[in-house]
Amino acid sequence: MPPKRKATTATSSRPAKRVASGISTPVSLGSSESDKDAFSEFASESDLSGTETPDGRSRNSRKTTAGARGGGVIIEGQDLQKAMAKFDPRNYNSAASSRGKQQTAHDVASSLFKAGRDMSNLELKPDHASRPLWLDPERGRLVLETFSPAFTRAQNFLINIAEPQSRTSHIHEYTITGNSLFAAVSVGLSTHDIIRQLETFSKTKLPEGLKEFVISATSSFGKVRLVLKQNQYFIESQDPSILQSLLRDPVIGPARIQEEGERGFTQTAAPKLAGLVIPGTKEAAGQREVPGAQKRPQPTPHTQGQDLDGSDDEYGAPTVEEEQNMVDLLQEDDEEDEEADRVHAFQITADKIEAVQKQCVDIGLPLTSEYDFRADDRNASLDIDLRPSAQIRYYQEHALSKMFGNGRARSGIIVLPCGAGKTLVGITAACTVKKSAIVLCTSAMSVVQWKQEFLKWSNVDPNDIAVFTSSEKERLPQRAGIVICTYSMVSSSHGKRAHDSQVTMDFITSREWGLMVLDEVHVVPAEMFRRVTSRILAHTKLGLTATLLREDDKIKDLNFLIGPKLYEANWLQLSNEGHIARVQCAEVWCPMSAEFYSEYLETPSPNKRSLLSTMNPRKFQACQYLIDFHEKRGDKIIIFSDNVYALKSYALKLVRPYIYGDTPQRERENVLANFQQNPAVSTILLSKIGDTSLDLPEATVLIQISSHYGSRRQEAQRLGRILRAKRRGDEGFNAFFYSLVSKDTNEMYYSSKRQAFLVDQGYSFKVITHLTGMEKMPGLNFTTPEERDELLQAVLLQNETAGEVENIREDLFSGRQMSKGKKKPGVKRTAGTLAELAGGEGMAYIEYNKSKNKDLRKNQGPQSAFFKKTKREMERKRQAAKDLT
Ligand SMILES: Nc1ncnc2c1ncn2[C@@H]1O[C@H](COP(=O)(O)OP(=O)(O)OP(=O)(O)O)[C@@H](O)[C@H]1O
């Protein structure tokens, strides 16, 4: 028996090195010359001198700071190979021991494990180096090393059983929760599978507490189902005693509908499950290797990883005794299952569905919802299939296999990055179920795009597909068909509808739908969502989203309103594989011009302040410079502004076309078509209507001049507009995402909040503090005080509402859904030179760490000495004026 070792965990080690997070890495790995040039031209060494990063280091020292959020480790300006070589866990531990206590407090991952938590009693397995997983026994927190040979398999497993918290280049964090285990059981994993695999991947022996949690949480899952039959809801189980106990529940019992004289439960034969082939996959094509089919990347070849499967390994799996206990426990269930060839059910009233679902979650018996669509001969079938040319990608297949894994359709949520192809996932699901389907979208524009995509990817008869929006009400298919509509059309209350809308709505609510697809499911306001899911009777609900993130913390409601998360893809992985573009993200700090900043400090109105910071002439100049720079490179640029006044002003001054909520449909189409096809139109300006669903694969650069407060979701969705760049497959290609932020204003605070989600996906934001050569740019606007003053006067003349974000009818993104005072994750910004990132020299950018963001949060006021002085002076003058009166 090997000697026992003590775990020090990755947390108690030397201070962090800085490793470029995934997105920045590709540039250093050999980006094209043109991309190198892109950044080196901005370079400004002079800007580095004498300034300090928020942690007190010299900005150009290129030294490191610890505390990258989520255990991410940062090495600046290195290529990935070197970074990986340096990140050796063995060095990590030995270095830690040679340094004092003081330093271990600053290591990269201590923040993951709360102060005072000692995990040194966990026993390290002898071959722990080849196992990728660290476990925090008390919080269910898992830390996965991405550089481990067993990473791919561990990731595929963890994504099924835990919630990803952050996935940076080298470290991923997950949390095991009741919900995540529910999702695991829903996609067919048993308690035994979960425990065994955790034990296999873990560096330490699986803690008892965690094991018990998995057993107790999963033993009750999957035992009760919610089934829709002939427009009536039933709760179904193979174990009548569970139904008995549910009926004794004070919420569920009264929801039962019981015919007079009816006793006991209705009984039916348990459905027989058989294999199912998902369209668009290799199996569907009837051959193992389809020419031109999208190959799934192979796991990294390794030898050590083989050990991880070895059940003869003392630590690789539970002991014989433990396994026997577990098997006994599970066998009891199996035996019961075998005996139960009948299912028992009772009916519940439709208007209590939500309460019953919620109660079932609360008592630890969440309802799964599965639809045996192949056995459904009551609802008409729809003639629809994927076109032979449609080949779904491996991760789309993965996601769909979770939904259809046991031959039935499970309700749940699929999370894919923007631009990764959620629409095709929804369409393939409809082609698999082959029953009437209803698709709900956030805006009329998405409705149109969904229809086009259905016609592009499937052979559905165009007469069998209808759209239902406030401006378009197509005739609905009578027998079976597809309806695509906005959430608002089906959720508005009865009295507010026009007659023809009401007729359509009556039709929709009277029908039993095989599939309901809920696009951008995370943005739907909770109440609207409830109305939709309770009014429309659907056997299966498929939620699609990129972020599973909302600012009002209602995301957990989705678990019982739709179902568990079935699949969540890794942004960086898809980007590295070329399915979505690689993006360089940068935040450009634009100092406020003195005139604008004095007004900014003076005005008490938040709207005015926001308008002043958006209209800051220096921001305008930065925008003008970046447009000029990227247009010369042949890029296609989208400029985003939530504020319509700023959108129009920038567009008119820059002489570029723009689209916002009130732009007529024909004009929108005209602008978009020109952007796509006309080489003379390389830049367009879009309001927030362009945030989602806009498919403009030509776009390679985004410049954000005004945004929706601290919305992490909007940031991710905007980034999504360039993730689908057509040129993403080109050698060394990078898309660029710039956020222009007025320095020393609230924009800086919001900007750091906005980036949090993307940082957790492994993106790093560079801060550009100076655009070299901008001042000398020919034709640069607002160079004279007169010009700036004229602009200022124009801005001051605007009324209060000019500073507001756009409110678009029929667009769910318009509402301000931010909750105040909620804890948000901090943001990491990397320091160094952006030119270095691209292989060039000398661009200035600064690192923020988490504590700096806390500072930002606390202190949203002006930062620089000059502006502080200005503010003091103004206060003094005001006081003097007051004294005089
Ligand atoms: N399997 C595939 N084969 C070829 N092209 C695909 C595939 N899947 C998706 N695409 C293409 O990728 C692009 C992005 O897809 P889609 O619009 O569905 O993304 P999305 O995930 O819905 O993005 P968003 O969240 O930003 O709306 C589209 O042009 C789509 O046609």
Side-chain angles (χ1 to χ4, degrees), residues 294 391-393 395-396 416-424 453 456-457 520 546 692-693 695 717 720-721 724 728:
Q294 321 240 358
Q391 284 297 311
I392 59 170
R393 296 176 182 149
Y395 57 87
Q396 292 169 322
L416 293 180
C418 300
K422 289 182 281 298
T423 318
L424 186 54
E453 292 285 295
K456 174 178 160 190
W457 294 108
E520 309 286 1
T692 52
S693 311
D695 196 12
Q717 261 151 350
R721 298 315 100 209
R724 51 187 71 218
R728 63 177 183 267

Side-chain angles (χ1 to χ4, degrees), residues 190 223 327-340:
S190 68
K223 297 244 185 299
V327 168
D328 288 348
L329 197 115
L330 297 167
Q331 224 164 21
E332 283 171 25
D333 292 347
D334 289 347
E335 280 160 14
E336 279 167 23
D337 287 350
E338 277 163 28
E339 280 164 24

